[in-house]
Amino acid sequence: MPLTGHFTAARVEAVYRSESRRVLATLIRLLGDFDRAEEALHDAFAAALQQWPRDGVPDNPRAWLVSSGRFKAIDALRRRARFDASLRLLAEQLEDAAQAVEVDEMEDDRLRLIFTCCHPALPADGRVALTLREVCDLTTEEIARAFLAPPATIAQRIVRAKAKIRDAQLPYRVPERDELPARLESVLRVVYLVFNEGYTASAGAELTRADLCAEAIRLGRLLLELLPNAEVMGLLALMLLHDARRAARTDATGELVRLDEQDRSLWNRQQIVEGSQLVQLALTSRAFGPYSLQAAIVAVHAEAPSAAQTDWPQIVRLYDVLLQLSPSSVVELNRAVAVAMRDGPEAGLLLVDELLGHGDLQDYHLSHATRADLLRRLARIDEAREAYSSALRFVQLEPERRFLQRQLDELGD
């Protein structure tokens, strides 16, 4: 039954929001090229705007769009074949290879797209940009704004990543079982990079970017839906539990609020419950990794009724396990903070000084800020003042800079 133009345009827009990334993932597999698939996707939706008002919305819009996009791409190759004979051969190969697309196979295409965009052969910034563009459907301008980079720079990263995939003939597939752990680690790292840039921006005037946090959580949910795995659960839990505190991390004027001073009534209890349940599932699976342990630490904070009632001994124990599994200087710094809360500031300061004495984290503003806070609590004011000044030399995010400056000012002259 024909439909009115206004209704159909709204329907096409809704289908685009819900299905475009699925359709694109399948078109990339069928056409073997990112740019060709994107052009076919746009042509398919343009055809839908023309035909659906006349013929009605098909029973399976996604399959219709895939079929339409593939035929549009083949037609475009034939037109261009007048100038390039190799395109005629490609068009014939694509037409000969045409097969009915199964729904399960289309779901696999979404995983293929994620693993391809996050392939470890691509540079890290290219993986992030390509994933946000192709999997999340963010525009180049939106990605550029999120990462405070010129749109031309982001566009170049995406172009280079696509060229690398094409020239290196990176396989468009879900890794085999024996490859999966290493490849999944790259995917999870990209998703967490996106989240971290949203949760605590690397630079700029705003502490958080809610849209990037939401995109990373959406990616995490998609991964868990397509690939149930303990570390996928752990990463999704970690992001949910961190994001649950976002509303309380700044005050009404945008100033940073420390964890122990946050209004816990502003924390998102629904996300805390969901995140804590995922942590339990991940840890009981016995196949957990660093993301699950980090999520467990954040869950202890989230479940404490108040800062004073936080179970710091449990947090220290979790950091001990995390350090065995995934040692890093930043984890050691975080553990030092937990030790200071359990055993007193002097115990924590010894650990921080040892870290800095090894040359680790000398350029990391939070190591100096942590040391300054511990010195302040020990009433070693001159040393605290010097440590805050060191932190200010390395901080880049404006809300953090203002917070550190306030802490320094409160020490007086």
Side-chain angles (χ1 to χ4, degrees):
M1 181 179 70
L3 302 169
T4 64
H6 176 72
F7 177 84
T8 308
R11 181 78 171 94
V12 171
E13 184 178 348
V15 171
Y16 183 89
R17 286 196 303 271
S18 64
E19 302 288 358
S20 64
R21 297 303 98 187
R22 291 180 171 92
V23 174
L24 176 65
T26 298
L27 287 172
I28 291 172
R29 173 171 57 83
L30 295 175
L31 302 176
D33 183 90
F34 274 79
D35 293 334
R36 193 177 296 126
E38 287 176 355
E39 183 179 351
L41 175 72
H42 295 145
D43 288 344
F45 274 97
L49 280 171
Q50 290 183 339
Q51 295 182 37
W52 291 4
R54 182 183 68 241
D55 304 332
V57 177
D59 293 336
N60 189 334
R62 192 195 314 174
W64 187 99
L65 289 162
V66 168
S67 178
S68 176
R70 186 178 63 81
F71 283 120
K72 294 285 185 184
I74 292 171
D75 288 344
L77 286 171
R78 283 180 175 149
R79 288 194 302 272
R80 296 167 190 163
R82 291 178 295 173
F83 309 102
D84 187 343
S86 65
L87 295 179
R88 185 185 308 113
L89 177 61
L90 178 58
E92 292 171 357
Q93 290 173 340
L94 291 175
E95 190 166 29
D96 291 342
Q99 300 288 337
V101 180
E102 299 293 336
V103 172
D104 289 346
E105 193 171 33
M106 292 183 75
E107 290 303 315
D108 287 344
D109 286 333
R110 301 169 79 192
L111 261 184
R112 291 186 184 100
L113 179 58
I114 292 172
F115 275 102
T116 302
C117 289
C118 299
H119 197 286
L122 302 176
D125 57 1
R127 284 181 242 166
V128 171
L130 191 62
T131 301
L132 289 174
R133 177 71 197 95
E134 306 300 342
V135 180
C136 298
D137 197 25
L138 269 64
T139 66
T140 302
E141 290 73 18
E142 287 171 332
I143 301 169
R145 282 198 300 272
F147 286 89
L148 302 179
T153 299
I154 298 298
Q156 287 171 359
R157 290 176 187 172
I158 294 171
V159 168
R160 284 197 295 266
K162 290 178 180 177
K164 176 71 173 181
I165 291 170
R166 181 187 65 244
D167 297 342
Q169 297 183 327
L170 299 181
Y172 185 70
R173 63 177 175 81
V174 178
E176 300 296 335
R177 183 174 295 274
D178 60 336
E179 301 175 287
L180 194 57
R183 289 290 306 279
L184 181 60
E185 182 182 348
S186 177
V187 173
L188 298 181
R189 188 180 301 117
V190 168
V191 176
Y192 199 38
L193 278 171
V194 173
F195 179 81
N196 273 332
E197 188 62 32
Y199 188 70
T200 302
S202 56
E206 300 295 328
L207 180 67
T208 62
R209 294 175 184 139
D211 55 341
L212 277 184
C213 290
E215 286 297 338
I217 289 171
R218 186 165 72 89
L219 272 173
R221 291 191 189 282
L222 174 60
L223 268 177
L224 187 58
E225 174 190 335
L226 300 176
L227 190 68
N229 172 282
E231 272 297 80
V232 177
M233 289 182 198
L235 176 58
L236 179 56
L238 178 60
M239 294 189 295
L240 286 168
L241 290 165
H242 272 313
D243 192 60
R245 303 198 306 242
R246 178 162 43 87
R249 293 181 66 221
T250 55
D251 62 18
T253 63
E255 297 302 324
L256 183 64
V257 179
R258 295 193 312 191
L259 175 62
D260 59 339
E261 297 176 348
Q262 288 176 13
D263 179 356
R264 298 187 177 216
S265 68
L266 298 176
W267 290 3
N268 187 318
R269 288 294 152 190
Q270 184 176 348
Q271 285 185 212
I272 290 172
V273 169
E274 182 183 1
S276 298
Q277 289 173 343
L278 286 169
V279 168
Q280 289 297 323
L281 285 172
L283 294 182
T284 54
S285 74
R286 297 296 181 183
F288 61 84
Y291 291 113
S292 302
L293 286 168
Q294 291 177 70
I297 291 167
V298 183
V300 175
H301 284 293
E303 293 166 359
S306 67
Q309 294 171 282
T310 303
D311 189 345
W312 288 107
Q314 184 181 0
I315 289 175
V316 173
R317 289 193 296 271
L318 287 167
Y319 272 124
D320 288 340
V321 179
L322 180 58
L323 274 171
Q324 291 178 10
L325 198 62
S326 182
S328 82
S329 298
V330 172
V331 173
E332 287 190 60
L333 178 65
N334 291 335
R335 180 184 179 277
V337 173
V339 168
M341 297 303 295
R342 184 191 66 179
D343 301 336
E346 192 162 357
L349 183 62
L350 286 171
L351 296 173
V352 174
D353 283 344
E354 184 178 351
L355 267 176
L356 291 170
H358 290 156
D360 296 337
L361 307 180
Q362 281 287 355
D363 298 339
Y364 187 45
H365 71 284
L366 289 180
S367 61
H368 297 285
T370 299
R371 186 170 186 272
D373 184 63
L374 295 173
L375 288 165
R376 177 188 60 80
R377 289 163 59 188
L378 290 167
R380 292 161 60 176
I381 303 304
D382 289 342
E383 294 171 90
R385 188 180 296 111
E386 184 178 343
Y388 277 124
S389 298
S390 296
L392 283 164
R393 284 200 297 272
F394 297 112
V395 71
Q396 292 185 310
L397 191 60
E398 186 59 27
E400 288 188 318
R401 188 198 65 76
R402 292 196 302 268
F403 173 81
L404 290 171
Q405 188 62 58
R406 287 200 308 275
Q407 297 296 105
L408 177 58
D409 293 343
E410 286 175 6
L411 295 179
D413 297 328

